[in-house]
Amino acid sequence: MRWDGQSVGERDDGALPGLGLSGFVRSVRTPDFAGVTFHEVAAKSALNKVHEASGMPFRWTINPMRGCVHACTYCFARPTHEYLELDAGTDFETQIVVKTNVVEVLRAELARPSWRREPVALGTNTDPYQRPEGRYRLMPGIIDALATSGTPFSVLTKGPLLRRDLPLLVAAARRVPVAVAVSLAVLDPALQQSLEPGTPLPRARLDLIRAVRDAGLPCGVFVAPVMPGLTDSVEHLDALLAELAAAGATGVTVLPLNLRGSVKPWFAGWLARERPELVERYRRLYGRGAYLPVEYTVWLDARVRPLLAARGFSSDAGPDGVGEEGATGTGPQGGGRHPGATVDVEQPVLF
């Protein structure tokens, strides 16, 4: 059935029914995405300014979509759906807002005399290469707009769909600095599909790393989040790092699980269903906060460093020769900087 024939609602009053969002065009459902509704909107802006207090090494992001069909239980971006009067649980996974005019708006913003060609990050909130991108094809225009304007950019993804755009990324890298990073934190397919039911299998992401490297681009990896009792064993971490080294990863960042806001009860629900024996441990570790105790992060760092070194990931600099000050540990994977965060080692640089 054709996508265009699946419209379930259109309004012309500028408001998405039940949502705190303007610019609504239509809502679409399709058999290819059972249970998911796509709310197409005409966005007023494409570039999002990052508050300086965030501590991020980039000041601008682009999010072609809000919400994510990857459905990662730990995704730190879940609470952003609450700004739309939707919940951070099921709605985040099934009510996807698509900025269908994002390319046109971006080109106009990049053409402004005031634009200083500062680095732009994609994938720091929801994944730009989640499956609906295969239908909407927003990323080719975004890549072209950034490269044509002389704007450096980075892409962080779990989606092998990025392979479609490798020729565009290679061409862009001839004009501006381009950084590519893949998120892969869970090697066991059964656990991975339970935690991230809408994401590609680990093998597909390892193949993506190889494809990026074969295309001549560096490819960093975010091993994030590392989850206590689930993915923090020496056996799991070493096996994953061995696979990343074999795939040609040019840098690795290891970050522990953070559970901010409404992500915490959502993840706790998964834990109670799937790994009830860990519930009490997580209560002790996280208490009433979002972050692990400093003692745990120090312990994890001591565990990870020799494993990274053994697999050839240096602790001196990132893949582009950029040291600690050039790294970020924030993204849809649930990582993030805080005073007790694990130190980044051979970090993929996302500006």
Side-chain angles (χ1 to χ4, degrees), residues 122-344:
L122 293 107
T124 61
N125 196 309
T126 53
D127 198 318
Y129 282 105
Q130 56 178 296
R131 265 204 319 135
E133 166 60 16
R135 160 59 178 84
Y136 284 102
R137 298 185 65 87
L138 301 173
M139 284 298 292
I142 291 172
I143 292 168
D144 180 70
L146 291 167
T148 301
S149 71
T151 301
F153 65 94
S154 63
V155 181
L156 172 62
T157 185
K158 293 177 180 175
L161 181 57
L162 179 142
R163 296 178 72 163
R164 179 200 67 192
D165 293 343
L166 273 175
L168 296 175
L169 290 165
V170 170
R174 299 191 187 105
R175 308 179 72 169
V176 298
V178 174
V180 177
V182 172
S183 172
L184 178 55
V186 186
L187 193 59
D188 175 68
L191 179 60
Q192 178 262 329
Q193 283 294 290
S194 180
L195 284 162
E196 313 167 348
T199 62
L201 290 168
R203 186 58 52 188
R205 281 180 261 175
L206 290 167
D207 289 343
L208 173 60
I209 296 167
R210 290 188 176 91
V212 174
R213 297 295 291 120
D214 288 345
L217 295 173
C219 187
V221 177
F222 277 80
V223 176
V226 173
M227 292 164 275
L230 294 168
T231 61
D232 62 352
S233 69
V234 169
E235 293 74 18
H236 176 270
L237 291 168
D238 190 49
L240 177 54
L241 292 172
E243 291 280 9
L244 297 179
T250 50
V252 174
T253 294
V254 181
L255 291 167
L257 175 69
N258 296 333
L259 294 172
R260 295 191 285 268
S262 48
V263 181
K264 192 171 184 178
W266 187 256
F267 185 82
W270 177 88
L271 204 65
R273 292 190 305 273
E274 303 295 330
R275 297 297 297 270
E277 73 279 8
L278 292 176
V279 168
E280 185 55 37
R281 181 182 180 188
Y282 272 72
R283 286 175 179 162
R284 292 197 307 271
L285 283 172
Y286 288 90
R288 297 182 179 179
Y291 302 110
L292 285 158
V294 172
E295 292 81 5
Y296 178 91
T297 60
V298 170
W299 170 84
L300 180 61
D301 182 64
R303 169 164 287 192
V304 166
R305 280 188 176 272
L307 300 178
L308 286 161
R311 297 300 175 182
F313 296 112
S314 168
S315 61
D316 296 330
D320 298 318
V322 179
E324 187 75 19
E325 71 280 3
T328 174
T330 298
Q333 294 67 37
R337 283 197 179 277
H338 71 287
T342 297
V343 175
D344 301 335

